[in-house]
Amino acid sequence: MSTFSDQESHESSATLWRDGRPVYDRGGTVCVIGAGASGLTAIKNLKEYGFGADCYERETGVGGAWNWRHDRSPVYASTHLISSKPLTEYPDFPMPDNWPDYPHHSQLLSYLEQYADHFDLRPHIWFGTEVVRVEPADGDRWDVTTRSTGGYGAERTSRYAAVVVANGHNWSPKLPAYEGLDEFRGQVIHASAYKDATQLRGKRVLVVGAGNTGCDIAVEAGQQAARCWHSTRRGYWYAPKYAFGRPADQVGDAAGAYRLPLRVRQWMFHQMLKLTVGDLTRFGLPRPDHKVFETHPIVNSHLVHSIGHGSITPVPDVARFRRNSVTLVDGQEVEPDLVVLATGYLPRFEFLAPEVLGIDTSGRPALYLNAFPRRHPTLAVAGLLQPDSGLFPIVHWQTVAIARWLRLRENAPDRARAFTARVDAEAGTRWHSAKVKESTRHWFEIGHIDYLRALQRTLDELEVPA
Amino acid sequence: MKTRVVRVTDWTSPVPPVYREVRAATPEAPEGKPPLLFVPGFGHGAWVFAEHWLEHAASRAFPAHAVSLRGHGGSGPAPKATLRAYAHDVVQVAASLPRQAVLVGHGAGALVVAHALARYPARAGVLVAPVFGGWGTLGAALRRNPVGTLPAVFGGALRLNHRQLFSRELPDAAARDYASRLGRASSRAQWQLLRHRAPEPAVGNPPLLVLGSPDDRVVPPAALTRAAGRYGAAPLLFPGMGHDMMLDARWREPIDAILDWLDKDL
Ligand SMILES: Cc1cc2nc3c(=O)[nH]c(=O)nc-3n(C[C@H](O)[C@H](O)[C@H](O)COP(=O)(O)OP(=O)(O)OC[C@H]3O[C@@H](n4cnc5c(N)ncnc54)[C@H](O)[C@@H]3O)c2cc1C
Ligand SMILES: NC(=O)c1ccc[n+]([C@@H]2O[C@H](COP(=O)([O-])OP(=O)(O)OC[C@H]3O[C@@H](n4cnc5c(N)ncnc54)[C@H](OP(=O)(O)O)[C@@H]3O)[C@@H](O)[C@H]2O)c1
């Protein structure tokens, strides 16, 4: 592991200046922000295309979200993959084939650590170092200002040829505002503060939200808590982890490959759910207000089972909080000791001026292929994706595209112009054949096959002349 | 050919796990050289490299490993194995090593390596007496050894005899002993050797080395040149040697050439 002071000694002395402060020139090196799954594959693929890479990671280890030791890690003790192994592993570095279909989060961490060691990525990473500012400099370069995580120590600015932002988007809690929340006497936490079932034991628990987090926590509360209410503001399609004895995503993709029209695929999926899960309104769940694929898939075989056993009571959306209770929109009052807001996460790029990523007033960036901003050819975002599959294969190819793009800019400016024009024209386009529900959680929702087909065209177009 | 990124087969029909035999020799003083993974050809097991090459590579500071493809050597049985399953075995072992590995394939193992290179960014690839298959290979085999080859056409075992595999410099007893220890690949894989899709392009742009012998009785010189040509190189030649270069009398020369090339190029 490298430390901040090693870096100071090995670097060239400052020859550039910005606002009266020294700037260390890192030449053609590319800066990568974050050493989670996205940052690691960015370093590896940039190296493969011959770039130098400096990665800054605010934590002391690799793995990002999958490293449960990290204070911002959103995983809880019982987290297992929801996307099955072959759809989740990097396409050029498989997980061990004797691992289960849905590995545990600790296996994911050891996989990412093995990836970092195997490809010798750690010497590129400055751990315990936080990026605080990323500012454009002359000649499409970037000044990146860092300091030790936690804010102590001096700031230091280095100039890079390009920046790949891989800071993750599942760490900054989305906290809804509720009337009366201040006066509520029970405990309220966001799901990111939920670590294991001891927090639930013996309590009356209200879980809000039915993303995969909310469903997992509701199931655990169903087993461990004295009482569990699960509040959702709409009906959903709860897919099982297995269908016909195979991981459900693999069954889905076997059909998806035939380029069937969306409606046919939706019909098939509805039939599959009808056969395997059945009619959910029988269980007291609201009828979905949308077709399947129009919300981020929930994959949970236990939830419906627990409702059927009476250990989870499904309830509608929260209307307001009171001193000792919570009022739901149907007028019902429940009296939880603990409320877990599993309401998801919002993206945050605290080190960048919002206009760089074309961020609108709602906070949503406008990027081409969720990666390339307008007017800033040497900046890209990796992993800002919410796929209906595993993330790693997609972010792998996304970072290959970024590396090819940076090479092509140098080697074939003519071809690069055509790509720039498309980034300008198509930034913000969605890559999903279904019309997803309007919600912040769907800003980065992609259909993995739709997206990868688009990425394939980009990869071919950006192919670097040898 | 372009690298395809929508990989429905990889996603929806993963290759089943199997026990894999891995033999290894580790250098006494590691110098940070990349690990080598040797991949034997059809019918051969990891033992063919454990005879000489593993120890020799380790003595030159390369951590050296050899895998038995499923259904071969000490690995678990796999009567229905495909080329894809063999390539999967190679990638699984490569990914389990501490550092990015050099893949060295021999005979049909070189074709397996070529497929594995499309699924794993190796540090380098080395193809030794590569058998890339096709009908020409069958023709040559039928001419040299009709009795051993003909049954394979009907799904039986391909039996290579010691005269196809070794030069006359190797004592007859040793040659017969080695030949008697050979097993067989699955019938499906044997067929795929004749009719298979060209391997997808290698990922990560690894340097490639091809070597062979003009006197190899399994790989005709033209096939060797063609295989090397796929990678834009001329083969490194070791006249007088038989197909099984790692067991033949002068086994030291090709492995030294490989290690010299790695020392120089990586
Ligand atoms: C509970 C849960 C379960 C999930 N399950 C799955 C699943 O089954 N399959 C799947 O594919 N995905 C799943 N995901 C999505 C998951 O987020 C991704 O798999 C993956 O971890 C994203 O990697 P990343 O590198 O983009 O982001 P992260 O893993 O969040 O990594 C970002 C890194 O950047 C660092 N960083 C951030 N800001 C700075 C800064 N300013 N300076 C320096 N460093 C910084 C962080 O410390 C972190 O290490 C799940 C997510 C959650 C929350
Ligand atoms: N591997 C695993 O086991 C696993 C586990 C957990 C999470 N994950 C992944 O992690 C990511 C984040 O998942 P997540 O579940 O934390 O978040 P999420 O998918 O964003 O889900 C948030 C839930 O909260 C609801 N919600 C949001 N704002 C609300 C409000 N103001 N009032 C009421 N309800 C509100 C949403 O409803 P709407 O639908 O109406 O917006 C949704 O049901 C996803 O990619 C997910 O797949 C994976």
Side-chain angles (χ1 to χ4, degrees), chain B residues 59-187:
Chain B
S59 77
R60 287 190 54 180
F62 286 90
H65 309 259
V67 58
S68 291
L69 299 175
R70 58 187 64 207
H72 289 78
S75 288
K80 298 224 163 80
T82 55
L83 265 181
R84 176 172 165 248
Y86 292 155
H88 166 92
D89 288 338
V90 174
V91 174
Q92 281 284 317
V93 176
S96 75
L97 298 175
R99 284 293 154 87
Q100 218 173 341
V102 176
L103 303 184
V104 186
H106 171 258
L111 177 63
V112 174
V113 163
H115 282 279
L117 288 172
R119 289 290 180 274
Y120 170 76
R123 197 77 173 70
V126 181
L127 311 180
V128 183
V131 174
F132 270 57
W135 300 103
T137 312
L138 178 64
L142 279 171
R143 244 173 295 124
R144 305 248 185 223
N145 177 9
V147 180
T149 308
L150 206 56
V153 178
F154 302 100
L158 178 67
R159 292 242 163 264
L160 297 174
N161 64 37
H162 66 283
R163 281 295 146 236
Q164 276 173 296
L165 297 175
F166 306 104
S167 73
R168 297 202 177 272
E169 284 173 62
L170 188 72
D172 222 45
R176 281 178 196 282
D177 174 50
Y178 287 147
S180 73
R181 289 165 70 181
L182 297 179
R184 60 165 301 189
S186 76
S187 314

Side-chain angles (χ1 to χ4, degrees), chain A residues 74-85:
Chain A
V75 306
Y76 30 88
S78 64
T79 308
H80 282 257
L81 282 182
I82 42 164
S83 46
S84 74
K85 201 174 46 166

Side-chain angles (χ1 to χ4, degrees), chain A residues 102-227:
Chain A
Y102 297 103
H104 186 243
H105 71 78
S106 56
Q107 290 175 303
L108 265 283
L109 175 59
S110 78
Y111 173 67
L112 293 173
E113 285 175 335
Q114 163 80 355
Y115 184 82
D117 291 330
H118 194 86
F119 294 110
D120 208 13
L121 307 180
R122 288 183 206 262
H124 296 266
I125 306 172
W126 312 104
F127 290 103
T129 307
E130 192 170 31
V131 172
V132 291
R133 276 192 308 283
V134 175
E135 299 157 300
D138 288 345
D140 287 330
R141 302 180 76 206
W142 295 90
D143 285 347
V144 176
T145 303
T146 57
R147 65 166 182 220
S148 297
T149 306
Y152 48 86
E155 288 189 352
R156 175 189 179 84
T157 304
S158 310
R159 186 160 298 177
Y160 287 97
V163 172
V164 178
V165 177
N167 65 331
H169 60 99
N170 279 327
W171 56 268
S172 178
K174 176 190 176 192
L175 286 167
Y178 291 105
E179 203 188 323
L181 189 58
D182 293 343
E183 57 179 281
F184 180 62
R185 299 281 294 276
Q187 194 191 359
V188 181
I189 62 169
H190 183 265
S192 55
Y194 174 73
K195 291 295 152 203
D196 66 57
T198 54
Q199 289 165 270
L200 307 169
R201 221 155 273 161
K203 296 190 180 144
R204 284 166 302 164
V205 180
L206 170 66
V207 179
V208 181
N212 286 299
T213 307
C215 293
D216 276 355
I217 299 177
V219 167
E220 288 204 323
Q223 291 158 354
Q224 304 287 343
R227 190 76 219 265

